[in-house]
Structures are given as C-alpha cells and as structure tokens.
Amino acid sequence: TLIELVLYMALLVILLPSIILMLLQVSKNQQHVYTRAQIENTAAVLFSELNYEITHASKILTSTSIFDSDQGVLVFRDSDDQLRRIEYSTDTVEFSETTYNIGRVSLFDGLDRWITSENLAITSFKIEPARDDDSNLTGLNLWIVIAPLSTDTEIDQSNILRLRTSIEVQPHTIEE
C-alpha cells in the first residue's frame, strides 16, 4: 500500500546515510591496518638484514662509519673481507601521482640495493657503537623511525613506528 511504501522510503532515508558512513569508516580502517602491517613488515625485514650483516661482519670500520646522526652509515667488511655499507640515503619516488623525496636504507655489497620499501619513508636511521667498560666494541645501538609517505592526518601519524634495538657483534668481529 501507499502508507507502507512511504514508511519504507522514510526508513531508507534514515538508514542509508548510516550505512554509507559505516562502509566509509571500514574502508578507512582497512587502509590504516594495511599501512601499519606494511610498516611492521618493513621493520622486520630491515632488522633481519641488519642483524645478519652485523653478526657476520669480520671488521666494523668505525673511522669511516657515520655514528650519532639521523642519516647513519655503517661501513664494515664481511667474512670474505669484502667492503660492505649500510646507509641512509634519499630517493625520489612517485606514489599516487605525487612525487616524494624520502629516506631509505640501502646495502652496498658490490651493488647498491634498497633494503626498505619505496612506499614508506625512513625519517631517522641512527647508529651508535655500544662499548664495554674497557671501550671495546660490543654491539651497535640502532634508532629507526619508519613513517607512511603521507603524515597529513592523525591516523597517518599514528602509523609512525619508532624502533630502538641493539645488535651484539660477535667475538670474532674487530673494530678498525
């Protein structure tokens, strides 16, 4: 009947905006979760690579490394005495038709290759030597900040990941 039709239309007018808002919120939350997972995955890959390289280093070249800087550089030699370098570098990337100058971490092992994704920005990569009471190098302290390319919104800013860890050098690793 006409009354039922008007009643259903009124209910639709009341419920439709709520349903649309709920779906938009779900979509927004999904993007937040995806970005957070990407940041955490990048952090896991980066720390795995750093841990492997540092624990397999035969020499840490502290005289040519850059410590206590947000744009740190670690220079070392591997077990085959090959020169290797892990460093903060800037890169220009295009994402969603926008160009960004971002920080990334690269590994030089004969070839330069990126360790971190071009979809995220490394805003700080700080390395500091850890020493015992006799000033012997015992490890490296790392401070790393990983952020989404855009930090315009509060949600984007909540995805910024600040990490601090230490990696112990092996007894066979010497400082040069």
Side-chain angles (χ1 to χ4, degrees), residues 43-80:
V45 168
L46 178 59
F47 279 121
S48 176
E49 189 78 33
L50 290 170
N51 189 51
Y52 177 83
E53 294 295 338
I54 291 169
T55 57
H56 286 83
S58 63
K59 297 175 187 167
I60 303 288
L61 307 176
T62 55
S63 60
T64 53
S65 296
I66 299 174
F67 297 123
D68 301 322
S69 166
D70 285 338
Q71 299 178 358
V73 177
L74 178 65
V75 182
F76 58 99
R77 293 201 176 270
D78 64 13
S79 56
D80 296 327

mmCIF file of all heavy atoms in Angstrom, residues 43-80:
data_model
loop_
_atom_site.group_PDB
_atom_site.id
_atom_site.type_symbol
_atom_site.label_atom_id
_atom_site.label_comp_id
_atom_site.label_asym_id
_atom_site.label_seq_id
_atom_site.Cartn_x
_atom_site.Cartn_y
_atom_site.Cartn_z
ATOM 1 N N ALA A 43 59.957 -3.119 8.922
ATOM 2 C CA ALA A 43 60.823 -3.128 10.106
ATOM 3 C C ALA A 43 61.414 -4.519 10.339
ATOM 4 O O ALA A 43 62.607 -4.649 10.632
ATOM 5 C CB ALA A 43 60.043 -2.669 11.332
ATOM 6 N N ALA A 44 60.605 -5.547 10.178
ATOM 7 C CA ALA A 44 61.092 -6.916 10.387
ATOM 8 C C ALA A 44 62.164 -7.280 9.362
ATOM 9 O O ALA A 44 63.202 -7.851 9.724
ATOM 10 C CB ALA A 44 59.930 -7.902 10.306
ATOM 11 N N VAL A 45 61.946 -6.941 8.102
ATOM 12 C CA VAL A 45 62.936 -7.234 7.054
ATOM 13 C C VAL A 45 64.219 -6.450 7.310
ATOM 14 O O VAL A 45 65.326 -6.990 7.208
ATOM 15 C CB VAL A 45 62.358 -6.920 5.659
ATOM 16 C CG1 VAL A 45 63.441 -6.934 4.597
ATOM 17 C CG2 VAL A 45 61.248 -7.897 5.311
ATOM 18 N N LEU A 46 64.082 -5.175 7.648
ATOM 19 C CA LEU A 46 65.243 -4.325 7.903
ATOM 20 C C LEU A 46 66.063 -4.868 9.077
ATOM 21 O O LEU A 46 67.289 -5.014 8.968
ATOM 22 C CB LEU A 46 64.796 -2.891 8.179
ATOM 23 C CG LEU A 46 65.886 -1.886 8.508
ATOM 24 C CD1 LEU A 46 66.901 -1.769 7.380
ATOM 25 C CD2 LEU A 46 65.258 -0.514 8.798
ATOM 26 N N PHE A 47 65.422 -5.206 10.191
ATOM 27 C CA PHE A 47 66.156 -5.713 11.342
ATOM 28 C C PHE A 47 66.771 -7.081 11.065
ATOM 29 O O PHE A 47 67.863 -7.375 11.546
ATOM 30 C CB PHE A 47 65.284 -5.748 12.594
ATOM 31 C CG PHE A 47 65.186 -4.406 13.245
ATOM 32 C CD1 PHE A 47 63.965 -3.795 13.417
ATOM 33 C CD2 PHE A 47 66.319 -3.745 13.675
ATOM 34 C CE1 PHE A 47 63.870 -2.548 14.003
ATOM 35 C CE2 PHE A 47 66.241 -2.495 14.262
ATOM 36 C CZ PHE A 47 65.007 -1.892 14.433
ATOM 37 N N SER A 48 66.099 -7.885 10.314
ATOM 38 C CA SER A 48 66.666 -9.184 9.952
ATOM 39 C C SER A 48 67.937 -9.002 9.128
ATOM 40 O O SER A 48 68.962 -9.649 9.387
ATOM 41 C CB SER A 48 65.634 -9.994 9.166
ATOM 42 O OG SER A 48 66.185 -11.196 8.722
ATOM 43 N N GLU A 49 67.877 -8.117 8.141
ATOM 44 C CA GLU A 49 69.045 -7.843 7.295
ATOM 45 C C GLU A 49 70.184 -7.236 8.115
ATOM 46 O O GLU A 49 71.340 -7.636 7.982
ATOM 47 C CB GLU A 49 68.646 -6.906 6.159
ATOM 48 C CG GLU A 49 69.697 -6.715 5.113
ATOM 49 C CD GLU A 49 69.810 -7.874 4.138
ATOM 50 O OE1 GLU A 49 68.805 -8.519 3.829
ATOM 51 O OE2 GLU A 49 70.949 -8.131 3.693
ATOM 52 N N LEU A 50 69.853 -6.262 8.974
ATOM 53 C CA LEU A 50 70.880 -5.634 9.811
ATOM 54 C C LEU A 50 71.520 -6.657 10.750
ATOM 55 O O LEU A 50 72.747 -6.690 10.899
ATOM 56 C CB LEU A 50 70.272 -4.488 10.616
ATOM 57 C CG LEU A 50 69.866 -3.249 9.841
ATOM 58 C CD1 LEU A 50 69.052 -2.312 10.724
ATOM 59 C CD2 LEU A 50 71.073 -2.543 9.274
ATOM 60 N N ASN A 51 70.699 -7.465 11.373
ATOM 61 C CA ASN A 51 71.217 -8.475 12.296
ATOM 62 C C ASN A 51 72.144 -9.449 11.572
ATOM 63 O O ASN A 51 73.230 -9.765 12.059
ATOM 64 C CB ASN A 51 70.065 -9.225 12.959
ATOM 65 C CG ASN A 51 70.543 -10.129 14.066
ATOM 66 O OD1 ASN A 51 71.271 -9.717 14.953
ATOM 67 N ND2 ASN A 51 70.142 -11.390 13.996
ATOM 68 N N TYR A 52 71.738 -9.913 10.401
ATOM 69 C CA TYR A 52 72.569 -10.847 9.646
ATOM 70 C C TYR A 52 73.906 -10.203 9.265
ATOM 71 O O TYR A 52 74.970 -10.799 9.466
ATOM 72 C CB TYR A 52 71.839 -11.317 8.384
ATOM 73 C CG TYR A 52 72.685 -12.235 7.541
ATOM 74 C CD1 TYR A 52 72.770 -13.591 7.835
ATOM 75 C CD2 TYR A 52 73.442 -11.740 6.479
ATOM 76 C CE1 TYR A 52 73.568 -14.437 7.090
ATOM 77 C CE2 TYR A 52 74.251 -12.584 5.724
ATOM 78 C CZ TYR A 52 74.314 -13.923 6.031
ATOM 79 O OH TYR A 52 75.120 -14.750 5.295
ATOM 80 N N GLU A 53 73.847 -9.007 8.706
ATOM 81 C CA GLU A 53 75.073 -8.350 8.238
ATOM 82 C C GLU A 53 76.021 -8.036 9.389
ATOM 83 O O GLU A 53 77.231 -8.250 9.286
ATOM 84 C CB GLU A 53 74.734 -7.075 7.457
ATOM 85 C CG GLU A 53 74.003 -7.312 6.159
ATOM 86 C CD GLU A 53 74.815 -8.059 5.104
ATOM 87 O OE1 GLU A 53 76.056 -8.064 5.162
ATOM 88 O OE2 GLU A 53 74.183 -8.653 4.214
ATOM 89 N N ILE A 54 75.487 -7.535 10.487
ATOM 90 C CA ILE A 54 76.341 -7.143 11.615
ATOM 91 C C ILE A 54 76.948 -8.367 12.304
ATOM 92 O O ILE A 54 78.133 -8.375 12.638
ATOM 93 C CB ILE A 54 75.553 -6.252 12.597
ATOM 94 C CG1 ILE A 54 75.262 -4.897 11.931
ATOM 95 C CG2 ILE A 54 76.319 -6.059 13.904
ATOM 96 C CD1 ILE A 54 74.269 -4.029 12.674
ATOM 97 N N THR A 55 76.159 -9.407 12.486
ATOM 98 C CA THR A 55 76.695 -10.594 13.173
ATOM 99 C C THR A 55 77.667 -11.378 12.291
ATOM 100 O O THR A 55 78.454 -12.163 12.808
ATOM 101 C CB THR A 55 75.573 -11.537 13.669
ATOM 102 O OG1 THR A 55 74.755 -11.913 12.564
ATOM 103 C CG2 THR A 55 74.742 -10.869 14.740
ATOM 104 N N HIS A 56 77.629 -11.167 10.985
ATOM 105 C CA HIS A 56 78.562 -11.852 10.089
ATOM 106 C C HIS A 56 79.738 -10.960 9.670
ATOM 107 O O HIS A 56 80.549 -11.358 8.839
ATOM 108 C CB HIS A 56 77.836 -12.386 8.855
ATOM 109 C CG HIS A 56 76.996 -13.586 9.158
ATOM 110 N ND1 HIS A 56 75.731 -13.480 9.673
ATOM 111 C CD2 HIS A 56 77.261 -14.911 9.049
ATOM 112 C CE1 HIS A 56 75.234 -14.688 9.853
ATOM 113 N NE2 HIS A 56 76.152 -15.580 9.490
ATOM 114 N N ALA A 57 79.810 -9.776 10.221
ATOM 115 C CA ALA A 57 80.905 -8.862 9.877
ATOM 116 C C ALA A 57 82.200 -9.338 10.542
ATOM 117 O O ALA A 57 82.200 -9.790 11.682
ATOM 118 C CB ALA A 57 80.575 -7.453 10.347
ATOM 119 N N SER A 58 83.307 -9.204 9.801
ATOM 120 C CA SER A 58 84.602 -9.530 10.392
ATOM 121 C C SER A 58 85.253 -8.279 10.984
ATOM 122 O O SER A 58 86.001 -8.361 11.946
ATOM 123 C CB SER A 58 85.529 -10.160 9.353
ATOM 124 O OG SER A 58 85.805 -9.247 8.307
ATOM 125 N N LYS A 59 84.951 -7.111 10.386
ATOM 126 C CA LYS A 59 85.504 -5.836 10.866
ATOM 127 C C LYS A 59 84.424 -4.760 10.760
ATOM 128 O O LYS A 59 83.727 -4.666 9.759
ATOM 129 C CB LYS A 59 86.695 -5.391 10.013
ATOM 130 C CG LYS A 59 87.878 -6.310 10.045
ATOM 131 C CD LYS A 59 88.955 -5.845 9.079
ATOM 132 C CE LYS A 59 90.057 -6.885 9.017
ATOM 133 N NZ LYS A 59 90.965 -6.659 7.916
ATOM 134 N N ILE A 60 84.339 -3.946 11.804
ATOM 135 C CA ILE A 60 83.490 -2.755 11.769
ATOM 136 C C ILE A 60 84.440 -1.578 11.596
ATOM 137 O O ILE A 60 85.334 -1.362 12.418
ATOM 138 C CB ILE A 60 82.673 -2.586 13.069
ATOM 139 C CG1 ILE A 60 81.820 -3.823 13.353
ATOM 140 C CG2 ILE A 60 81.851 -1.312 13.024
ATOM 141 C CD1 ILE A 60 80.636 -4.022 12.467
ATOM 142 N N LEU A 61 84.278 -0.849 10.523
ATOM 143 C CA LEU A 61 85.175 0.277 10.223
ATOM 144 C C LEU A 61 84.595 1.555 10.822
ATOM 145 O O LEU A 61 83.907 2.333 10.161
ATOM 146 C CB LEU A 61 85.368 0.406 8.712
ATOM 147 C CG LEU A 61 85.817 -0.878 7.992
ATOM 148 C CD1 LEU A 61 85.883 -0.678 6.496
ATOM 149 C CD2 LEU A 61 87.163 -1.342 8.532
ATOM 150 N N THR A 62 84.898 1.780 12.101
ATOM 151 C CA THR A 62 84.304 2.916 12.807
ATOM 152 C C THR A 62 84.836 4.252 12.298
ATOM 153 O O THR A 62 84.142 5.259 12.396
ATOM 154 C CB THR A 62 84.543 2.801 14.334
ATOM 155 O OG1 THR A 62 85.942 2.654 14.577
ATOM 156 C CG2 THR A 62 83.797 1.624 14.912
ATOM 157 N N SER A 63 86.036 4.265 11.738
ATOM 158 C CA SER A 63 86.608 5.534 11.272
ATOM 159 C C SER A 63 85.886 6.070 10.028
ATOM 160 O O SER A 63 85.861 7.278 9.806
ATOM 161 C CB SER A 63 88.104 5.379 10.982
ATOM 162 O OG SER A 63 88.294 4.406 9.974
ATOM 163 N N THR A 64 85.282 5.195 9.228
ATOM 164 C CA THR A 64 84.576 5.650 8.029
ATOM 165 C C THR A 64 83.053 5.555 8.171
ATOM 166 O O THR A 64 82.328 5.983 7.280
ATOM 167 C CB THR A 64 85.020 4.843 6.785
ATOM 168 O OG1 THR A 64 84.886 3.456 7.056
ATOM 169 C CG2 THR A 64 86.460 5.152 6.436
ATOM 170 N N SER A 65 82.579 4.998 9.272
ATOM 171 C CA SER A 65 81.134 4.957 9.534
ATOM 172 C C SER A 65 80.691 6.309 10.079
ATOM 173 O O SER A 65 81.502 7.077 10.600
ATOM 174 C CB SER A 65 80.806 3.864 10.551
ATOM 175 O OG SER A 65 81.126 2.588 10.035
ATOM 176 N N ILE A 66 79.418 6.599 9.935
ATOM 177 C CA ILE A 66 78.853 7.832 10.488
ATOM 178 C C ILE A 66 77.900 7.435 11.604
ATOM 179 O O ILE A 66 76.843 6.847 11.365
ATOM 180 C CB ILE A 66 78.125 8.657 9.405
ATOM 181 C CG1 ILE A 66 79.100 9.062 8.309
ATOM 182 C CG2 ILE A 66 77.448 9.882 10.033
ATOM 183 C CD1 ILE A 66 78.451 9.768 7.122
ATOM 184 N N PHE A 67 78.304 7.750 12.845
ATOM 185 C CA PHE A 67 77.502 7.438 14.020
ATOM 186 C C PHE A 67 76.827 8.703 14.533
ATOM 187 O O PHE A 67 77.191 9.821 14.174
ATOM 188 C CB PHE A 67 78.377 6.837 15.128
ATOM 189 C CG PHE A 67 79.008 5.520 14.751
ATOM 190 C CD1 PHE A 67 80.384 5.359 14.783
ATOM 191 C CD2 PHE A 67 78.231 4.436 14.374
ATOM 192 C CE1 PHE A 67 80.967 4.145 14.454
ATOM 193 C CE2 PHE A 67 78.805 3.221 14.040
ATOM 194 C CZ PHE A 67 80.179 3.071 14.079
ATOM 195 N N ASP A 68 75.853 8.520 15.415
ATOM 196 C CA ASP A 68 75.167 9.625 16.101
ATOM 197 C C ASP A 68 74.572 10.637 15.132
ATOM 198 O O ASP A 68 74.601 11.841 15.379
ATOM 199 C CB ASP A 68 76.112 10.322 17.096
ATOM 200 C CG ASP A 68 76.632 9.361 18.150
ATOM 201 O OD1 ASP A 68 75.850 8.503 18.590
ATOM 202 O OD2 ASP A 68 77.816 9.457 18.513
ATOM 203 N N SER A 69 74.056 10.183 14.019
ATOM 204 C CA SER A 69 73.408 11.037 13.034
ATOM 205 C C SER A 69 72.111 10.358 12.616
ATOM 206 O O SER A 69 72.053 9.131 12.557
ATOM 207 C CB SER A 69 74.314 11.230 11.818
ATOM 208 O OG SER A 69 73.583 11.782 10.729
ATOM 209 N N ASP A 70 71.083 11.146 12.312
ATOM 210 C CA ASP A 70 69.829 10.577 11.825
ATOM 211 C C ASP A 70 69.975 10.002 10.422
ATOM 212 O O ASP A 70 69.066 9.362 9.910
ATOM 213 C CB ASP A 70 68.719 11.625 11.833
ATOM 214 C CG ASP A 70 68.214 11.890 13.242
ATOM 215 O OD1 ASP A 70 68.395 11.020 14.114
ATOM 216 O OD2 ASP A 70 67.627 12.963 13.460
ATOM 217 N N GLN A 71 71.132 10.243 9.793
ATOM 218 C CA GLN A 71 71.424 9.710 8.464
ATOM 219 C C GLN A 71 72.684 8.848 8.551
ATOM 220 O O GLN A 71 73.674 9.079 7.884
ATOM 221 C CB GLN A 71 71.591 10.851 7.463
ATOM 222 C CG GLN A 71 70.331 11.680 7.335
ATOM 223 C CD GLN A 71 70.481 12.841 6.375
ATOM 224 O OE1 GLN A 71 71.530 13.080 5.821
ATOM 225 N NE2 GLN A 71 69.401 13.557 6.189
ATOM 226 N N GLY A 72 72.601 7.824 9.394
ATOM 227 C CA GLY A 72 73.752 6.995 9.721
ATOM 228 C C GLY A 72 74.269 6.144 8.575
ATOM 229 O O GLY A 72 73.547 5.797 7.641
ATOM 230 N N VAL A 73 75.564 5.823 8.695
ATOM 231 C CA VAL A 73 76.240 4.946 7.731
ATOM 232 C C VAL A 73 77.097 3.967 8.541
ATOM 233 O O VAL A 73 77.859 4.381 9.413
ATOM 234 C CB VAL A 73 77.140 5.751 6.760
ATOM 235 C CG1 VAL A 73 77.893 4.803 5.826
ATOM 236 C CG2 VAL A 73 76.339 6.773 5.978
ATOM 237 N N LEU A 74 76.966 2.690 8.220
ATOM 238 C CA LEU A 74 77.792 1.661 8.840
ATOM 239 C C LEU A 74 78.628 1.016 7.753
ATOM 240 O O LEU A 74 78.105 0.457 6.795
ATOM 241 C CB LEU A 74 76.931 0.598 9.529
ATOM 242 C CG LEU A 74 77.703 -0.547 10.165
ATOM 243 C CD1 LEU A 74 78.571 -0.035 11.329
ATOM 244 C CD2 LEU A 74 76.759 -1.629 10.656
ATOM 245 N N VAL A 75 79.961 1.111 7.908
ATOM 246 C CA VAL A 75 80.886 0.520 6.945
ATOM 247 C C VAL A 75 81.586 -0.650 7.646
ATOM 248 O O VAL A 75 82.054 -0.508 8.779
ATOM 249 C CB VAL A 75 81.918 1.560 6.448
ATOM 250 C CG1 VAL A 75 82.838 0.943 5.400
ATOM 251 C CG2 VAL A 75 81.218 2.801 5.901
ATOM 252 N N PHE A 76 81.637 -1.780 6.969
ATOM 253 C CA PHE A 76 82.225 -2.969 7.574
ATOM 254 C C PHE A 76 82.736 -3.907 6.483
ATOM 255 O O PHE A 76 82.518 -3.686 5.298
ATOM 256 C CB PHE A 76 81.202 -3.687 8.466
ATOM 257 C CG PHE A 76 79.944 -4.107 7.759
ATOM 258 C CD1 PHE A 76 79.776 -5.399 7.317
ATOM 259 C CD2 PHE A 76 78.916 -3.198 7.546
ATOM 260 C CE1 PHE A 76 78.622 -5.800 6.668
ATOM 261 C CE2 PHE A 76 77.752 -3.585 6.896
ATOM 262 C CZ PHE A 76 77.601 -4.883 6.459
ATOM 263 N N ARG A 77 83.444 -4.929 6.911
ATOM 264 C CA ARG A 77 83.920 -5.966 5.997
ATOM 265 C C ARG A 77 83.270 -7.282 6.405
ATOM 266 O O ARG A 77 83.149 -7.575 7.592
ATOM 267 C CB ARG A 77 85.437 -6.077 6.033
ATOM 268 C CG ARG A 77 86.119 -4.833 5.480
ATOM 269 C CD ARG A 77 87.545 -5.122 5.052
ATOM 270 N NE ARG A 77 88.139 -3.946 4.442
ATOM 271 C CZ ARG A 77 88.090 -3.657 3.143
ATOM 272 N NH1 ARG A 77 87.493 -4.465 2.312
ATOM 273 N NH2 ARG A 77 88.659 -2.568 2.672
ATOM 274 N N ASP A 78 82.886 -8.062 5.393
ATOM 275 C CA ASP A 78 82.269 -9.355 5.685
ATOM 276 C C ASP A 78 83.344 -10.408 5.913
ATOM 277 O O ASP A 78 84.543 -10.111 5.923
ATOM 278 C CB ASP A 78 81.288 -9.757 4.582
ATOM 279 C CG ASP A 78 81.952 -9.989 3.231
ATOM 280 O OD1 ASP A 78 83.191 -10.083 3.157
ATOM 281 O OD2 ASP A 78 81.206 -10.068 2.237
ATOM 282 N N SER A 79 82.944 -11.661 6.073
ATOM 283 C CA SER A 79 83.897 -12.737 6.374
ATOM 284 C C SER A 79 84.853 -13.010 5.215
ATOM 285 O O SER A 79 85.911 -13.588 5.415
ATOM 286 C CB SER A 79 83.144 -14.026 6.737
ATOM 287 O OG SER A 79 82.269 -14.379 5.682
ATOM 288 N N ASP A 80 84.507 -12.567 3.992
ATOM 289 C CA ASP A 80 85.404 -12.687 2.836
ATOM 290 C C ASP A 80 86.233 -11.426 2.627
ATOM 291 O O ASP A 80 86.844 -11.254 1.583
ATOM 292 C CB ASP A 80 84.602 -12.982 1.565
ATOM 293 C CG ASP A 80 83.896 -14.320 1.633
ATOM 294 O OD1 ASP A 80 84.454 -15.244 2.258
ATOM 295 O OD2 ASP A 80 82.785 -14.431 1.085
#
